[in-house]
């Protein structure tokens, strides 16, 4: 099973700042099968990025994904109030797994 | 509007059985996989398994194989997750989510999620 390790656990930033979230895999992951989700308290996760770098329908262009192999990154270029949430990466290997999450909180 | 609507919260005792549901609407239910995801309190999501309602092809994560059963009734656009004997450790939020078929990048992610079903199991 591929283990996804997300860092940092918590990111304390101010609105307007840039957020860089890391997702590291225990073995190589196909870029095609790497996704990122956002989850706010009490709500289901929401798909942000699939295929490592493709924004899902309706996702703002301040969200971008990059990476390959074992290292992937989600970048939020300028944080807005609604972006403070927990972010998870997911890979679709055998079996699919999720990372432990990065919480982006208001500084 | 594409939606997945899940059944309501459940409070059960250890040893009891349970079946929760996820009803799809606004799209062709048999053309997409439906997956189930567990999220324990304060933890990250865990991928449990997935079913293709068209032919009931079902796959399980090894961690959940034999612990739960995933099924679907395509005549009523509904997928199910069931337990035969609940344990206190099954206490969690359970989400269903839709996954496109195929091998394109979009087919490796859950693009629509249900609102979740909270399960509380007391010992």
């Amino acid at each position: 099973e591929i283990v996804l390790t997300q860092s940092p656990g918590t990111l304390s930033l101010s609105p307007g700042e840039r957020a860089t979230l890391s997702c590291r895999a225990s073995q190589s992951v196909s870029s095609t099968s790497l996704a990122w989700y956002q989850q706010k308290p009490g709500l289901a996760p929401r798909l942000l990025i699939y295929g490592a770098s493709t924004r899902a329908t309706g996702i703002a262009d301040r969200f971008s994904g990059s990476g390959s192999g074992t290292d992937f990154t989600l970048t939020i270029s300028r944080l807005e109030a609604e972006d403070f949430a927990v972010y998870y990466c997911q890979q679709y290997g055998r079996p699919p797994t999720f990372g432990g999450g990065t919480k982006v909180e208001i500084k | 509007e594409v939606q997945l609507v899940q059944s309501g919260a459940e409070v059960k005792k250890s040893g009891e059985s349970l079946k929760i549901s996820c009803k799809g609407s606004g799209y062709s239910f048999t053309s997409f996989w439906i997956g189930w995801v567990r999220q324990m309190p304060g933890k990250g999501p865990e991928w449990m398994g997935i079913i293709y309602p068209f032919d009931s092809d079902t796959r399980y994560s090894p961690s959940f194989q034999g612990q739960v059963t995933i099924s679907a009734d395509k005549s009523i656009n509904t997928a199910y997750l069931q337990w035969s004997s609940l344990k206190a450790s099954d206490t969690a939020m359970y989400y269903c989510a839709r996954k496109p078929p195929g091998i394109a990048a979009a087919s490796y992610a859950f693009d629509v999620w249900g609102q979740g079903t909270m399960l509380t199991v007391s010992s």
Side-chain angles (χ1 to χ4, degrees), chain A residues 1 31-35 37 39 42-47 49-51 54 88 90-92 94-101, chain B residues 37 39 42-47 50 59-63 93 95 99 103-111 113-116:
Chain A
E1 173 176 308
S31 295
T32 304
S33 67
L34 197 287
Y37 299 85
Q39 188 175 31
L43 296 180
R46 177 175 72 139
L47 178 64
I49 301 283
Y50 62 88
T54 303
Y88 296 101
Q90 180 218 328
Q91 64 80 29
Y92 208 89
R94 291 190 179 192
T97 54
F98 288 87
Chain B
V37 174
Q39 190 167 31
K43 302 296 186 183
E46 299 172 88
W47 197 95
I50 201 160
R59 322 273 173 88
Y60 294 92
S61 171
S63 299
M93 180 71 82
Y95 293 102
K99 188 188 86 65
I103 59 172
S107 66
Y108 295 102
F110 290 127
D111 64 350
W113 291 65
Q115 83 278 17

Side-chain angles (χ1 to χ4, degrees), chain B residues 34-89:
Chain B
I34 294 288
W36 288 94
V37 174
R38 181 175 79 175
Q39 190 167 31
M40 301 179 83
K43 302 296 186 183
E46 299 172 88
W47 197 95
M48 301 176 71
I50 201 160
I51 188 165
Y52 192 57
F54 176 79
D55 59 6
S56 291
D57 183 7
T58 308
R59 322 273 173 88
Y60 294 92
S61 171
S63 299
F64 293 93
Q65 179 86 47
Q67 307 304 307
V68 296
T69 301
I70 293 170
S71 61
D73 184 342
K74 62 185 179 184
S75 69
I76 55 170
N77 291 358
T78 302
Y80 302 97
L81 177 65
Q82 68 180 88
W83 295 260
S84 59
S85 181
L86 287 161
K87 301 185 281 286
S89 57

Side-chain angles (χ1 to χ4, degrees), chain A residues 6-53:
Chain A
Q6 293 188 241
S7 61
T10 301
L11 202 47
S12 298
L13 295 167
S14 301
E17 291 193 292
R18 182 184 188 87
T20 303
L21 288 66
S22 172
C23 174
R24 179 160 290 176
S26 59
Q27 54 188 282
S28 187
V29 170
S30 165
S31 295
T32 304
S33 67
L34 197 287
W36 290 91
Y37 299 85
Q38 176 194 67
Q39 188 175 31
K40 296 181 180 179
L43 296 180
R46 177 175 72 139
L47 178 64
L48 295 177
I49 301 283
Y50 62 88
S53 60

Side-chain angles (χ1 to χ4, degrees), chain A residues 54-75:
Chain A
T54 303
R55 278 187 299 278
T57 303
I59 300 303
D61 60 7
R62 63 181 181 275
F63 291 93
S64 63
S66 63
S68 63
T70 59
D71 289 295
F72 297 88
T73 301
L74 175 70
T75 302

